[in-house]
Amino acid sequence: MVQALPYLKESASQTAGPYVHIGLAPGAAGFDIYRQELGQIIAGPDVPGERIRIEGLVYDGTGAPVKDILLESWQADANGIYPHPEDPRHGEVAPDFRGWGRIITDFDSGLWSFETIKPGPVPGRNKRVMAPHISLWLVSRGINIGLNTRMYFDDEDNSADPVLGLVEQENRRRTLIAQRTAPGVYRFDIRLQGEGETVFLDV
Amino acid sequence: MKPAEFYQRDRTLQPPALTPDYKTSVARSPRLAMLSLQGSLSEITGPTFGHSDIDPIDNDLIKNYAKSGDPVGERIIVHGRVLDENGRGVPNTLVEIWQANAGGRYRHKKDSYLAPIDPNFGGCGRTLTDADGYYFFRTVKPGAYPWRNWVNNWRPAHIHVSVFGTAFSQRLITQMYFEGDPLIAKCPIVATIPDQRAIDQLIAPLDLNAAVPLDCLAYKFDIVLRGRRSTLFENRLEGN
């Protein structure tokens, strides 16, 4: 035998279940309890940048919309700065910029949407620049461990993005790119399984 | 010495996406392999929270929705630490919980189980860990409840737990179970976890030392988030 390594192991994930709203969005569950629910304002009204709305559906493997999904988003401000101490420029982040959002679907249609500002490009690894993107994390009943993905914009130059470039099959890269459908509006559908399956990330 | 990359998530201890005995996973699990990324600024950062975001009563589920008195059920404290895989406490991180009432009924407009709603129980709470990563809640022990999977499936008593850590790549939602519950071994959702030690890590022991005599019992539940290495040699993470 050798010496044991001292590390702990990460707690195992479990599905968020059908009633995730009780904990994370009680208003949607049908009751009022907290002074404020978290994650509803990503960028305060005075945060500079282009105001955008992103909307979409999450489809399951049968092509049906998933109506009990919960998404969280994480993004940089318009200058590509994260409001977090490990961003070397975080002292310059836009005031009142939260960067994080919590988004639930409409129970009847499955449609979700959120309003934010368009992020700027962010420094990547090895001095490469990442194209503007928003990180997304999806949980729901039937999803055992939260699914990570990224959303890029079809009106940006994504050709040199180091993460998109890692997607081996070029035709799959478009599953990560939102389509501009109107001024300031982007559509981003996520397919959990099957044809057009979204690229998910082990981050 | 700056901290750098997070340890790779040990997927052998985590439930895979496709677990057919948990039926909903069949149509909601990707079929293609995930793309593994080294951490960039987008992954090693994450949202931060402060005491202005929440209220002190938010961690007391016995009082935070009380209308005409206390909720019915077994009064308990749930407490523990949020740690990383290096065993260090994760300070000032948001812990959110939600649960059914003592009869196994959720206060959710989609829950139609015949057990009644408790007028004095909401079933959600949240708190920030202290400087050592410690947190606590007061609540009532949730009841088991039936769900439509196989025709006679019952969830063990459980509390859903959501934790942030310091990075978006540490984000975790899990469930806490209670020591000695015979339903744990029968549950297809618990069984999505492929490793018994990893299951055991989600079962909170009775903690009589933390109980309040003549008032409430206590359970201890530590939550472990991914750890990260320290930079012994140059790392190429931009910005470090």
Side-chain angles (χ1 to χ4, degrees):
Chain A
M1 290 289 282
V2 299
Q3 295 181 11
L5 287 167
Y7 305 111
L8 302 177
K9 288 294 187 180
E10 185 189 22
S11 299
S13 171
Q14 292 272 263
T15 177
Y19 306 125
V20 60
H21 315 88
I22 292 174
L24 307 187
F31 68 110
D32 178 34
I33 183 164
Y34 293 140
R35 172 172 50 87
Q36 59 173 343
E37 290 194 14
L38 298 172
Q40 296 188 328
I41 297 174
I42 299 169
D46 298 328
V47 172
E50 182 191 351
R51 296 274 147 182
I52 58 172
R53 188 174 88 239
I54 299 159
E55 59 188 20
L57 286 166
V58 177
Y59 294 99
D60 71 13
T62 74
V66 179
K67 298 176 180 176
D68 51 9
I69 205 107
L70 182 137
L71 298 93
E72 289 184 354
S73 65
W74 175 239
Q75 64 167 95
D77 72 7
N79 293 316
I81 305 172
Y82 283 104
H84 186 275
E86 289 200 51
D87 188 317
R89 295 192 294 154
H90 82 277
E92 303 162 42
V93 73
D96 207 17
F97 177 72
R98 196 90 204 222
W100 171 75
R102 184 174 268 170
I103 303 123
I104 56 165
T105 54
D106 180 87
F107 288 143
D108 296 322
S109 67
L111 193 70
W112 53 265
S113 69
F114 62 100
E115 291 179 8
T116 184
I117 53 149
K118 200 173 187 186
V122 173
R125 297 176 64 92
N126 308 327
K127 305 201 186 303
R128 295 177 67 184
V129 175
M130 297 188 283
H133 65 276
I134 296 176
S135 297
L136 295 172
W137 185 72
L138 288 70
V139 293
S140 81
R141 181 170 67 102
I143 295 178
N144 290 324
I145 182 165
L147 294 167
N148 287 90
T149 188
R150 279 187 181 194
M151 191 206 89
Y152 291 83
F153 298 87
D154 71 340
D155 52 357
E156 296 283 337
D157 179 4
N158 297 310
S159 59
D161 182 81
V163 170
L164 285 174
L166 285 174
V167 181
E168 183 185 342
Q169 299 91 352
E170 274 189 61
N171 61 330
R172 296 200 70 209
R173 294 177 191 168
R174 65 169 174 261
T175 69
L176 299 182
I177 298 173
Q179 307 298 312
R180 188 172 176 272
T181 54
V185 181
Y186 295 85
R187 176 84 184 191
F188 188 62
D189 289 333
I190 295 170
R191 289 179 173 75
L192 296 177
Q193 182 191 107
E195 191 175 340
E197 184 175 303
T198 299
V199 174
F200 294 102
L201 306 172
D202 181 22
V203 298
Chain B
M1 200 158 67
K2 290 189 101 172
E5 292 232 34
F6 284 85
Y7 301 143
Q8 168 180 286
R9 178 165 264 158
D10 189 344
R11 297 270 175 187
T12 67
L13 301 179
Q14 293 289 347
L18 175 60
T19 48
D21 284 344
Y22 174 26
K23 293 182 180 179
T24 315
S25 78
V26 175
R28 295 187 175 190
S29 47
R31 286 293 176 274
L32 298 171
M34 285 184 286
L35 176 67
S36 293
L37 291 187
Q38 290 177 281
S40 75
L41 211 46
S42 299
E43 287 80 35
I44 68 165
T45 59
T48 55
F49 301 93
H51 289 281
S52 61
D53 290 319
I54 62 176
D55 289 321
I57 199 177
D58 287 354
N59 73 341
D60 186 353
L61 284 71
I62 288 181
K63 295 295 183 194
N64 71 5
Y65 201 74
K67 306 293 184 194
S68 59
D70 285 353
V72 172
E74 184 177 332
R75 297 160 64 89
I76 60 170
I77 289 166
V78 173
H79 74 131
R81 292 178 75 202
V82 178
L83 303 161
D84 68 17
E85 288 172 303
N86 299 316
R88 297 189 192 107
V90 181
N92 208 46
T93 197
L94 183 66
V95 181
E96 297 165 291
I97 65 169
W98 68 100
Q99 63 169 93
N101 67 22
R105 175 73 183 270
Y106 283 96
R107 184 176 286 279
H108 191 293
K109 54 189 178 191
K110 297 283 185 188
D111 189 356
S112 57
Y113 180 36
L114 51 79
I117 289 282
D118 184 328
N120 293 308
F121 190 68
C124 61
R126 56 190 185 180
T127 192
L128 293 170
T129 58
D130 71 10
D132 296 320
Y134 181 77
Y135 75 92
F136 68 95
F137 292 94
R138 189 167 72 150
T139 186
V140 296
K141 190 176 176 186
Y145 64 85
W147 57 299
R148 291 182 186 276
N149 189 63
W150 302 325
V151 75
N152 194 26
N153 272 134
W154 293 76
R155 295 300 326 281
H158 63 278
I159 297 177
H160 296 268
V161 182
S162 164
V163 195
F164 280 81
T166 60
F168 206 55
S169 61
Q170 284 178 304
R171 191 79 179 84
L172 180 72
I173 282 181
T174 187
Q175 299 181 29
M176 179 199 116
Y177 303 99
F178 292 84
E179 178 182 6
D181 187 340
L183 286 169
I184 294 170
K186 308 284 187 191
C187 177
I189 289 179
V190 174
T192 62
I193 301 169
D195 183 291
Q196 186 60 45
R197 291 164 303 173
I199 293 173
D200 293 344
Q201 198 173 318
L202 297 185
I203 304 174
L206 177 70
D207 183 0
L208 272 179
N209 286 358
V212 180
L214 307 178
D215 184 338
C216 65
L217 281 170
Y219 286 86
K220 175 81 154 51
F221 187 61
D222 287 341
I223 304 154
V224 181
L225 303 180
R226 292 166 68 184
R228 65 195 305 193
R229 67 190 295 268
S230 295
T231 309
L232 297 175
F233 299 97
E234 183 191 7
N235 75 89
R236 299 168 72 195
L237 197 62
E238 185 63 32
N240 271 6

